[in-house]
Every structure is written in structure tokens, then in C-alpha cells.
Amino acid sequence: MDHSTHHTSAAHDHDAHPAGHAQASGAAHEHGHGGASWSTAVKATLHCLTGCAIGEILGMVIGTALLWGNVPTMILAITLAFIFGYSFTLFAVRRAGLDFKSAIKVALAADTVSIAVMEFVDNAIIALTPGAMDAHLSDGLFWSALLGGFAVAFVITTPVNKWMIGRGKGHAVVHAYH
């Protein structure tokens, strides 16, 4: 996925940062001393949500189709959400020329908190929705709880990402590589 959509200013000079620069001060330059813009946080959260949603839906569909219990299905869904969430960043920074080991470090730094918050909130919504854990793929409740959980997770994770990016953490570490 193209991380260039995270920028709020076309004037940001990518060449001013060396290839290995972790961007701790770059977020302050890009967003001022007050932190990241809401637009940047929304774009970072949508990026994270896309990978998480693909992985989680795939895990829920696989577990449900195989008639697994709730716990193994959720474990698979959460695992795949992290894998797909990290992979979007991993592929983008690899495309920018980073070696595999460094790309993994950047993906972990950029996405771990965002994915963790998103998965916690989303799965809590699903677990707390009466009947959702026992719904089947053909049930509207299955899909409404899952998609509703994503919506609530997005609303809660966006301010977390805003706070982190404003401090040079989270998705801010990716900006040095594009």
C-alpha cells in the first residue's frame, strides 16, 4: 500500500531524511509542535484497518467455515489481522529499498500499537454483541457485529494514532521511507 497518502503537506522533503532516519523529529517538522493532523491520523488508521480487516475477516471465515470453536477462530483471526496489517507496511518499505530485517523493524514499530488497539476493540465488540460469537457466515449478525466492531475500532484507534504520530512514533516511522 502506498504510504504517501499519510502526508498532509506536499512541501515535506523526503530527501532531507537519510534512509535509516527513524523520523522522530520528522513528525514534528511535518505537523508542527502540536502533533499530527487528524487527516494524517485518519489515513494511518485506515491503512491499518485495511490490513487488519482483511486478516480478521479471512480468519473468521476460515474458522467459522471449518466449524472451529470461538477461541481458535478468534486466535486465527487476530493472528491473521496482525500478519496482514504488518504486511502492508512491510511491502511498502521494502519497495522503498529497505532490507528485509530493517523493514520488519519498521513495520513492527509503525503498526504494533495501532493493530493491538484495533484488534482489542473490534474483538471486544464482537464478544459483547449477544449471539455474535455463535453466528454463522450466512447470518447478518455475524457481518454486522464484525463490521460494527471495525467501525468502533476505527473511531477509538484514530486518536491513538494521532497521539503517536505527533510524537514521532507509530506510522511516523514509515514517513522516512517514501
Side-chain angles (χ1 to χ4, degrees):
M1 174 158 277
D2 180 11
H3 285 276
S4 64
T5 59
H6 295 303
H7 294 290
T8 58
S9 170
H12 184 71
D13 183 7
H14 299 292
D15 297 328
H17 304 292
H21 182 67
Q23 192 67 17
S25 62
H29 291 296
E30 181 178 348
H31 308 291
H33 297 291
S37 71
W38 281 105
S39 174
T40 298
V42 164
K43 290 173 185 172
T45 307
L46 284 173
H47 170 266
C48 184
L49 178 65
T50 302
C52 288
I54 291 168
E56 187 158 339
I57 290 171
L58 184 60
M60 291 287 202
V61 167
I62 291 169
T64 303
L66 295 176
L67 303 176
W68 288 1
N70 291 335
V71 173
T73 298
M74 287 188 91
I75 290 171
L76 176 63
I78 292 167
T79 300
L80 290 177
F82 273 91
I83 290 170
F84 277 86
Y86 287 137
S87 70
F88 278 30
T89 299
L90 183 68
F91 291 132
V93 295
R94 287 284 293 142
R95 222 177 20 247
L98 220 56
D99 64 274
F100 190 72
K101 183 178 178 181
S102 297
I104 288 175
K105 288 179 183 179
V106 168
L108 291 173
D111 294 329
T112 299
V113 171
S114 183
I115 295 171
V117 170
M118 198 163 292
E119 284 304 299
F120 176 78
V121 171
D122 177 49
N123 284 285
I125 297 295
I126 294 167
L128 295 173
T129 301
M133 295 295 291
D134 297 318
H136 297 281
L137 294 176
S138 59
D139 294 336
L141 181 59
F142 174 88
W143 294 103
S144 63
L146 188 60
L147 297 176
F150 289 144
V152 173
F154 174 81
V155 169
I156 291 174
T157 306
T158 299
V160 172
N161 281 333
K162 183 182 186 307
W163 182 83
M164 290 181 57
I165 294 166
R167 282 148 190 78
K169 302 194 181 309
H171 279 263
V173 301
V174 174
H175 292 169
Y177 303 103
H178 53 82

